[in-house]
Amino acid sequence: HTSYASLGSAVQAGVGRNGMDCVTLKHPSGASVSLYKFGAHITSWKLDTKKEMLFLSENAVYDGATPIRGGIPLVFPQFGGGDLPNHGFARTSHWDIRAVESNILVMELIDNEKTRGMWRNYAFRLLYTIELGAKTLKTTLTVVNRGAEPFEFQALLHTYYGLVDIANVGVVGLKDHAFMNKLTNHSVSQENSKVFRFDGEVDSIYTGSPRSLHLTGTGLAGSGDSVEIEIGATGSTGHDVVVWNPHVAKAKRMGDFGDHEWKSMCCIEPGFVAKRTTLHPNGEWSLYQTLTATGVDK
Ligand code: TA6
């Protein structure tokens, strides 16, 4: 076991729900981010005001096998259904701490017998860099092909935002982007709204690399109660953003999600899903999102 004392004052290790290993990164301002080593799954991002910015279901399961419902699940190497379990195996694998600096924590997942058995014996390295500021959280997922043959993959940061009431929430920055609607067999439309509002179930893949999004009306950060989302990717031909809310019917069908919880969450998920990218031996791909809580109490 790593002796966490050597990880410096900013990083504390602990035991979370059901005895699962977790790690907390603290900022001098009082802000903090916590994750489980299971899935390198961030389950909490708090500002110095102690306001929790992310959604975590009250019915989430912590058994070290089921993906935790909420926070920031990591999707790799598959988005949605297919040969692998839904959204792939990164979020149900055990990650290790690779490095710690003052306000940066790096988690790592390398291919293992289980992943090689599930995914054609491919050799990969995933690095997940978490950087915490007083009002910011930057997360970067890097995929490296450390094998001798190319592989195709999808990857995504499946971010669940906590909301006071989704009826007050708007997403600015999607206007003029094309999107595939998963609810109508991936039919393609153009977003016309300057401020996108959640009216009913939403499950859309926006393409064309939306870079700056503004999630307004979260009711959590403070007076301005909103989050700026800056997205970037390297080593690929752009990225996508999935926007999701299950609404009433799907919420009822999800066992690890409260029937009424759809009102207090939405997912804005930067990633690489619309098309698979091929990563050649020694190739590297990375995607980041920088979240900034704005309008916070000064
Ligand atoms: O990102 C949206 C989505 O693909 C939805 O279709 C819904 O299935 C959601 O992900 C949650 O998937 P999960 O496997 O975590 O239940």
Side-chain angles (χ1 to χ4, degrees):
H1 236 29
T2 313
S3 68
Y4 291 111
S6 68
L7 296 180
S9 59
V11 179
Q12 280 145 16
V15 172
R17 304 281 293 266
N18 289 354
M20 292 171 66
D21 284 342
C22 61
V23 185
T24 296
L25 180 57
K26 291 185 183 302
H27 187 270
S29 66
S32 66
V33 60
S34 297
L35 61 94
Y36 283 90
K37 294 174 83 172
F38 172 67
H41 197 131
I42 290 175
T43 51
S44 171
W45 169 37
K46 286 181 179 171
L47 301 179
D48 49 346
T49 56
K50 301 297 172 238
K51 288 183 190 289
E52 176 56 68
M53 299 298 288
L54 302 178
F55 168 83
L56 198 58
S57 175
E58 286 166 9
N59 299 357
V61 174
Y62 298 85
D63 61 7
T66 309
I68 298 167
R69 177 68 62 195
I72 308 179
L74 292 178
V75 174
F76 176 86
Q78 173 189 292
F79 176 79
D83 301 340
L84 300 172
N86 207 50
H87 290 337
F89 50 65
R91 64 179 182 171
T92 52
S93 294
H94 184 91
W95 291 56
D96 290 309
I97 294 176
R98 163 81 185 240
V100 175
E101 286 164 31
S102 57
N103 63 331
I104 298 174
L105 172 64
V106 183
M107 301 299 290
E108 180 181 61
L109 176 66
I110 292 180
D111 58 280
N112 55 51
E113 200 175 321
K114 189 172 175 209
T115 66
R116 288 192 292 269
M118 293 171 83
W119 193 42
R120 304 185 194 165
N121 221 22
Y122 289 140
F124 64 86
R125 175 191 306 280
L126 298 186
L127 289 173
Y128 188 40
T129 305
I130 298 138
E131 301 173 62
L132 179 67
K135 309 290 184 202
T136 59
L137 173 63
K138 180 176 183 180
T139 54
T140 305
L141 181 64
T142 301
V143 181
V144 181
N145 181 347
R146 55 188 214 102
E149 49 180 328
F151 59 62
E152 284 190 348
F153 73 97
Q154 296 167 303
L156 174 127
L157 305 175
H158 199 297
T159 315
Y160 286 72
Y161 292 90
L163 311 174
V164 170
D165 182 349
I166 195 161
N168 305 331
V169 168
V171 185
V172 181
L174 295 171
K175 186 174 185 319
D176 299 333
H177 283 274
F179 65 93
M180 294 183 275
N181 187 339
K182 287 177 63 177
L183 305 177
T184 54
N185 200 20
H186 286 80
S187 62
V188 179
S189 306
Q190 187 92 354
E191 182 54 65
N192 297 319
S193 311
K194 183 171 179 306
V195 183
F196 172 83
R197 299 246 174 234
F198 290 87
D199 301 320
E201 184 178 356
V202 173
D203 198 348
S204 299
I205 301 171
Y206 285 83
T207 57
S209 306
R211 281 190 206 294
S212 300
L213 300 176
H214 188 183
L215 185 59
T216 66
T218 62
L220 289 164
S223 51
D225 74 341
S226 65
V227 179
E228 300 287 350
I229 306 167
E230 287 300 319
I231 303 162
T234 58
S236 71
T237 54
H239 61 270
D240 317 300
V241 174
V242 176
V243 178
W244 178 55
N245 182 275
H247 207 248
V248 178
K250 184 152 188 177
K252 284 204 171 89
R253 294 198 299 270
M254 293 158 59
D256 59 348
F257 189 87
D259 289 357
H260 303 292
E261 288 188 315
W262 60 271
K263 294 176 185 168
S264 48
M265 57 70 70
C266 71
C267 284
I268 311 287
E269 315 159 23
F272 202 80
V273 296
K275 53 189 175 308
R276 292 168 189 275
T277 189
T278 300
L279 204 51
H280 293 281
N282 299 317
E284 191 170 303
W285 172 92
S286 73
L287 174 120
Y288 72 83
Q289 64 176 3
T290 301
L291 313 181
T292 305
T294 57
V296 294
D297 310 321
K298 294 287 172 275

